[in-house]
Amino acid sequence: MNENTDNSNKKIDQLKAAERDDYDQPLSSNEGVKISNDEDSLKAGDRGPTLLEDFLMREKLSHFDRERIPERVVHARGFGAHGIFKLYASQQELSMASFLVDPSLETPVFVRFSEVAGSKGANETNRDVRGFAVKFYTEDGNFDLVGNNIPVFFIQDGIKFPDLIHAVKPEPNNEIPQGQTAHDTFWDFIANNQESAAMMMWIMSDRTLPRSFRFMEGFGVHTFRVVNAQGISRFVKFHWKPVLGIHSFVWDEAQKIGGADPDFHRRDLWENIEAGNFPEYELGLQVLEEKDEFAFDFDILDATKLWPEEIVPVQIIGKMTLNRNVANVFAETEQIALHPGNIVRGIDFTNDPLLQGRLFSYTDTQVARVGTNYQELPINRPVCPVHNNQRDGKSRYTINTGRVAYHNNSLADNTPYTVPGTKGGFVTYPSTVEGQKLRVTAPSFLDHFSQARLFWNSMSPVEKSHIIQAFSFELGKVKSMSVRQQVIDMMGNISTLLATTVADQVGAQAPQVKESQNTQSSPALSMANTVFYPNTLKVGVIIAPGFNGPSTISILNEWIRVGLRIVIISQKQGVVEGTDGVKIKVDDSLLTGSPVVYDGLYIVGGTYEDPYFVTKTQQYAAEQYNHFKPIGASTYGAAIIQNLGILGAPGVIVEGENPSDFASQFIQAMTKQRFWERAQYS
Ligand code: HDD
């Protein structure tokens, strides 16, 4: 429950009607019988067998036995939150969807972020694509934007999706590895389905290691249509831009956080929403006139291609704010049924063959996973009325009154009635279709390497080095030398330098193919060009008894003022006393905390420091340093880390005479976030 926030909206009010609070109520069975003893089963004699007639035990156990529903075939591990979407200005020129027309509306939304490959219990910081799926509860019905944090996809046709997923999931003979792409079957699929080349580059970049769900972009991926009230259709791509910028972990850090806190991403989202640091994402549209359908050297129906933002700018049209955690993860996040086929008037599909496949798969999976009447569940119900002649099915909740359940009818005055397009009914955009029925790939879908090269050209030197490391790790884990070589040969089409460097790392031969001649780059693709803020970043502050009370407090207060989050760490939990009687409550001991989960570290130290404190603090500092993160130190702190040889390195700031100068230098360092120049320094 979120009593501390009152971010209510029409959807939240609707959900509240379904909530049940058991506090201070008598215990009962599901049939309403009050229970006098919930600890002992009914037995024949106090040491005798349990009786079949024990309806209370039977009900309790058999409900428990059915508590789980099948996990999602993909995107099984995810975490969600409620929020609202608001337009900056009417988009009625583009679309007649009410939520895109009326800037005064606050449309309720639910977002589910997810990891693709891992099962429901997987570690959240694995290298993986992240799902970014939004359900808009609009006045015209539910619109779902079921996207990812990467703007392109592996394949071009929905019929290949099961193959892709079978390849990426744990190998079936031993169910290894969990939630990872670093294995033979995945890379065998990539090398033998070369339309994945652009996506291969994206997943080997730091995009698949997001710092958290709050720092990643979202993309609808496909080309959709928007249709205005005059019936004019345009092609559109949807983008979510995180207000705090796009930031990622480094690989070593992501792996270690996975051990220290496998729930890192959900914890980050949940904690920030609870703290009122509501994550915000701006919605952007890339819009193309119908006449420009063939204006590019790629096909806009091909989901392995993006529209470079420098050619088709992203128009920012509104903002989504996530302002409320769920009350119950199963009822909301697990049972939400998202579906790219859920569109409303003003939005329509294109012939993108990947999208077309999805239109079938999602309804099918929801029926299998949740049940026939999944749309009746509180989290899935629209906020506008639902009336139709669909009836019955397993676990039907609605009680449809009356005897007429067909159309046309006269007994109910032909109601519920259809609504013409001019009055708000959904009318499919009458796009022209022609041609023979063919099971083929369009020739315009066959250039797989130009955009893979575009991505490589757009990366900063640091990003390029991370991509090389990622390939070297992933292919290094592939056992089959033939598969390694096939991937290296595929990479050769993108960049000879990349392919030869990785080949050298993994014991393969340099490729014998010609690299793409595409010299274009798209600065928007590089995370180096994102925005940088200190807000909501976490600083681990290591203190020991006898620390300088007044200056520490004044420094921490300055940081809190700019939105940094402070975690106090000490040798033991409890309260630590510094000079001038200053007392600080400890959040984490050096044992319950972890050297890898903070965005920055401030080593305050104190007058009492024992060898364990010193060794552990050095360990914290070394990890921070190796992950390029800011380190601040008081003079006590500097003495502790002296022999690490990092004092004076970029982003390692030692407190001087003036605490306020130190505080602001550290804020600047936190804003910068990573000191990549350390790679040359050390
Ligand atoms: Fe999918 C879930 C995103 C292609 C079939 N997909 C799912 C989710 C996201 C995506 C974010 C999780 C939704 C949630 O949180 O509940 N999928 C994508 C994107 C794709 C894509 C961005 C390409 C542009 N998916 C795709 C194809 C197919 C599927 C081509 C099948 C033809 N996806 C599914 C599914 C899932 C799913 C099996 C599993 C659980 C679910 O639908 O609800 O039906």
Side-chain angles (χ1 to χ4, degrees):
M1 297 282 292
N2 304 287
E3 266 93 10
N4 55 341
T5 56
D6 68 343
N7 299 311
S8 240
N9 60 48
K10 209 166 168 181
K11 184 64 196 176
I12 299 295
D13 295 343
Q14 189 194 50
L15 288 172
K16 285 211 168 290
E19 282 183 7
R20 188 177 83 190
D21 184 357
D22 295 329
Y23 180 72
D24 205 22
Q25 299 297 324
L27 185 70
S28 75
S29 73
N30 283 331
E31 304 290 345
V33 174
K34 293 193 186 62
I35 295 173
S36 60
N37 176 344
D38 192 35
E39 279 113 76
D40 299 306
S41 59
L42 187 69
K43 301 177 195 78
D46 62 0
R47 299 180 60 251
T50 298
L51 298 173
L52 185 61
E53 82 167 57
D54 188 351
F55 64 96
L56 295 174
M57 183 191 74
R58 285 201 329 264
E59 182 192 272
K60 186 174 174 183
L61 293 187
S62 82
H63 194 277
F64 172 75
D65 293 340
R66 291 165 180 76
E67 271 180 13
R68 298 284 174 272
I69 60 173
E71 68 173 33
R72 288 164 171 82
V73 194
V74 281
H75 298 266
R77 185 161 182 88
F79 202 64
H82 294 277
I84 51 137
F85 171 75
K86 205 156 186 276
L87 277 177
Y88 290 146
S90 176
Q91 300 299 315
Q92 62 187 357
E93 289 293 302
L94 295 176
S95 172
M96 60 185 152
S98 61
F99 80 106
L100 294 177
V101 168
D102 184 352
S104 70
L105 280 182
E106 288 197 342
T107 303
V109 294
F110 187 88
V111 178
R112 185 173 179 276
F113 299 111
S114 50
E115 289 83 48
V116 178
S119 65
K120 203 168 168 314
N123 157 24
E124 290 188 347
T125 59
N126 284 339
R127 176 182 292 285
D128 202 351
V129 179
R130 297 302 188 286
F132 192 131
V134 184
K135 192 182 278 294
F136 294 79
Y137 301 95
T138 88
E139 298 296 324
D140 303 320
N142 293 344
F143 167 58
D144 295 356
L145 192 52
V146 190
N148 281 339
N149 73 331
I150 289 180
V152 292
F153 202 63
F154 294 94
I155 48 172
Q156 299 167 318
D157 192 316
I159 199 169
K160 293 181 80 163
F161 190 69
D163 302 291
L164 163 69
I165 300 308
H166 289 170
V168 70
K169 283 277 181 177
E171 298 189 9
N173 53 334
N174 57 11
E175 253 202 0
I176 297 174
Q178 175 55 249
Q180 319 261 337
T181 45
H183 61 116
D184 288 47
T185 55
F186 176 73
W187 286 102
D188 190 31
F189 179 88
I190 295 290
N192 289 281
N193 297 272
Q194 301 217 341
E195 69 268 35
S196 59
M199 184 69 167
M200 167 179 89
M201 296 300 289
W202 279 85
I203 61 170
M204 289 298 102
S205 78
D206 294 344
R207 295 277 180 154
T208 40
L209 306 172
R211 156 65 182 76
S212 89
F213 298 137
R214 301 180 299 118
F215 296 93
M216 60 186 206
E217 287 183 293
F219 302 91
V221 182
H222 307 285
T223 301
F224 286 87
R225 287 175 186 282
V226 278
V227 186
N228 67 17
Q230 290 70 47
I232 296 172
S233 153
R234 295 178 175 89
F235 296 111
V236 70
K237 285 213 191 245
F238 293 99
H239 294 244
W240 291 110
K241 304 256 182 207
V243 169
L244 292 177
I246 317 155
H247 300 283
S248 284
F249 291 133
V250 292
W251 173 232
D252 182 70
E253 182 188 16
Q255 282 186 298
K256 288 174 176 162
I257 292 179
D261 185 2
D263 305 306
F264 184 90
H265 286 315
R266 60 183 56 199
R267 192 186 308 284
D268 175 275
L269 190 70
W270 192 86
E271 275 182 4
N272 277 285
I273 293 177
E274 287 299 295
N277 300 327
F278 299 144
E280 296 174 320
Y281 308 81
E282 291 191 304
L283 181 64
L285 303 180
Q286 283 179 300
V287 182
L288 269 190
E289 298 295 330
E290 284 245 348
K291 66 174 173 48
D292 294 330
E293 181 170 359
F294 302 106
F296 301 96
D297 54 6
F298 54 86
D299 195 321
I300 64 161
L301 299 183
D302 175 358
T304 65
K305 306 293 186 304
L306 53 83
W307 305 352
E309 292 184 29
E310 294 75 15
I311 301 173
V312 188
V314 177
Q315 306 167 25
I316 299 296
I317 63 161
K319 189 164 75 181
M320 171 169 77
T321 306
L322 302 182
N323 58 15
R324 194 180 180 96
N325 280 313
V326 298
N328 182 294
V329 173
F330 181 84
E332 298 169 74
T333 315
E334 188 62 7
Q335 292 199 118
I336 194 164
L338 291 141
H339 179 9
N342 286 347
I343 53 168
V344 291
R345 65 193 297 266
I347 297 175
D348 216 326
F349 310 124
T350 60
N351 297 339
D352 170 348
L354 190 71
L355 174 61
Q356 295 282 324
R358 294 180 78 191
L359 298 183
F360 166 73
S361 190
Y362 288 71
T363 329
D364 197 41
T365 210
Q366 307 310 353
V367 171
R369 190 175 68 84
V370 191
T372 312
N373 285 309
Y374 70 92
Q375 289 148 313
E376 286 191 322
L377 291 174
I379 191 67
N380 293 323
R381 287 172 55 200
V383 292
C384 57
V386 172
H387 296 285
N388 58 42
N389 295 312
Q390 293 174 37
R391 291 290 185 273
D392 311 342
K394 252 193 187 168
S395 307
R396 181 69 173 175
Y397 184 79
T398 308
I399 301 171
N400 295 101
T401 56
R403 58 185 173 147
V404 175
Y406 52 88
H407 186 89
N408 293 319
N409 67 64
S410 68
L411 292 176
D413 299 325
N414 213 18
T415 64
Y417 52 85
T418 54
V419 182
T422 48
K423 298 252 164 62
F426 180 88
V427 180
T428 294
Y429 178 72
S431 58
T432 307
V433 246
E434 57 187 16
Q436 298 166 315
K437 291 184 191 171
L438 299 168
R439 214 178 260 286
V440 294
T441 303
S444 53
F445 278 41
L446 294 180
D447 168 16
H448 306 320
F449 298 112
S450 300
Q451 285 214 351
R453 175 76 195 197
L454 171 86
F455 185 76
W456 176 247
N457 291 345
S458 310
M459 295 293 100
S460 69
V462 170
E463 287 172 311
K464 282 189 173 164
S465 79
H466 290 180
I467 291 173
I468 291 170
Q469 277 173 24
F471 271 115
S472 305
F473 176 89
E474 297 265 322
L475 292 187
K477 291 280 185 181
V478 167
K479 299 281 180 292
S480 160
M481 281 309 292
S482 152
V483 170
R484 280 192 205 181
Q485 190 63 52
Q486 290 174 57
V487 179
I488 296 289
D489 293 343
M490 177 176 174
M491 283 159 64
N493 293 288
I494 302 165
S495 159
T496 309
L497 171 77
L498 170 65
T500 33
T501 314
V502 177
D504 182 48
Q505 290 289 316
V506 302
Q509 303 297 314
Q512 300 299 315
V513 290
K514 200 159 162 265
E515 67 180 5
S516 162
Q517 297 302 296
N518 186 0
T519 54
Q520 288 164 353
S521 65
S522 168
L525 303 185
S526 169
M527 297 199 300
N529 299 325
T530 188
V531 290
F532 294 82
Y533 300 107
N535 310 47
T536 77
L537 297 179
K538 245 186 194 175
V539 185
V541 179
I542 304 185
I543 58 170
F547 67 92
N548 186 332
S551 89
T552 306
I553 294 294
S554 78
I555 289 165
L556 298 189
N557 282 342
E558 286 201 43
W559 293 350
I560 290 167
R561 212 167 29 77
V562 298
L564 287 169
R565 289 187 296 151
I566 306 296
V567 181
I568 303 290
I569 309 161
S570 192
Q571 182 153 348
K572 295 182 285 187
Q573 286 177 328
V575 172
V576 176
E577 187 163 347
T579 56
D580 286 16
V582 173
K583 290 183 181 166
I584 300 189
K585 187 176 161 294
V586 177
D587 299 305
D588 264 321
S589 68
L590 287 163
L591 189 64
T592 64
S594 157
V596 288
V597 297
Y598 313 106
D599 302 291
L601 193 66
Y602 174 31
I603 306 167
V604 183
T607 49
Y608 169 81
E609 287 155 1
D610 79 4
Y612 172 83
F613 180 90
V614 170
T615 316
K616 271 295 212 183
T617 302
Q618 287 175 348
Q619 199 188 330
Y620 273 61
E623 292 285 12
Q624 287 284 314
Y625 185 82
N626 291 336
H627 299 149
F628 310 96
K629 298 193 275 196
I631 300 174
S634 71
T635 30
Y636 291 132
I640 297 173
I641 58 171
Q642 176 118 38
N643 58 10
L644 296 180
I646 61 174
L647 293 176
V652 181
I653 304 159
V654 179
E655 214 173 317
E657 295 291 297
N658 185 339
S660 185
D661 287 351
F662 167 76
S664 48
Q665 279 171 28
F666 190 77
I667 292 168
Q668 279 170 24
M670 288 302 291
T671 309
K672 181 169 163 164
Q673 300 186 21
R674 304 275 173 173
F675 289 82
W676 302 120
E677 53 275 37
R678 279 182 203 160
Q680 284 98 47
Y681 185 87
S682 53

